[in-house]
Amino acid sequence: MTPEYSNALELIDQNSFYVNHRNHGTVYQNKSHDLPNLQYLYKSYYREYVFPTPGIKGAGMQRFVIGRFGEVYYTPDHYKSFYRLR
């Protein structure tokens, strides 16, 4: 994991990372089933967090999606692709 991701995840854990964005910390529905389908365990299994895109005003397209048990996915293109970080 790159240092910038690691730092962002630490800030998310502290609830102090770009929290003014309307989607920061909200439930990620996983409607396309791009991630493992674990919503049957908990309705709010995944949460999404904004990761600002350098050079773009506002939130940009980058997001982290974090599972209830600590799985971390990164999407650089607003949910078109996902990369598991841990």
Side-chain angles (χ1 to χ4, degrees), residues 13-44:
D13 287 342
Q14 297 167 11
N15 200 26
S16 63
F17 187 72
Y18 215 67
V19 294
N20 290 330
H21 190 274
R22 69 183 180 279
N23 290 347
H24 189 82
T26 61
V27 172
Y28 176 71
Q29 299 291 329
N30 195 28
K31 291 178 183 177
S32 301
H33 303 289
D34 294 318
L35 302 179
N37 189 17
L38 297 170
Q39 288 87 321
Y40 67 90
L41 294 172
Y42 301 95
K43 269 186 156 176
S44 58

Side-chain angles (χ1 to χ4, degrees), residues 26-72:
T26 61
V27 172
Y28 176 71
Q29 299 291 329
N30 195 28
K31 291 178 183 177
S32 301
H33 303 289
D34 294 318
L35 302 179
N37 189 17
L38 297 170
Q39 288 87 321
Y40 67 90
L41 294 172
Y42 301 95
K43 269 186 156 176
S44 58
Y45 188 85
Y46 294 110
R47 296 227 172 238
E48 69 173 285
Y49 297 88
V50 174
F51 184 60
T53 305
I56 294 179
K57 190 174 184 175
M61 299 185 344
Q62 298 184 96
R63 300 285 190 275
F64 287 104
V65 176
I66 301 177
R68 184 173 282 256
F69 296 113
E71 317 90 284
V72 176

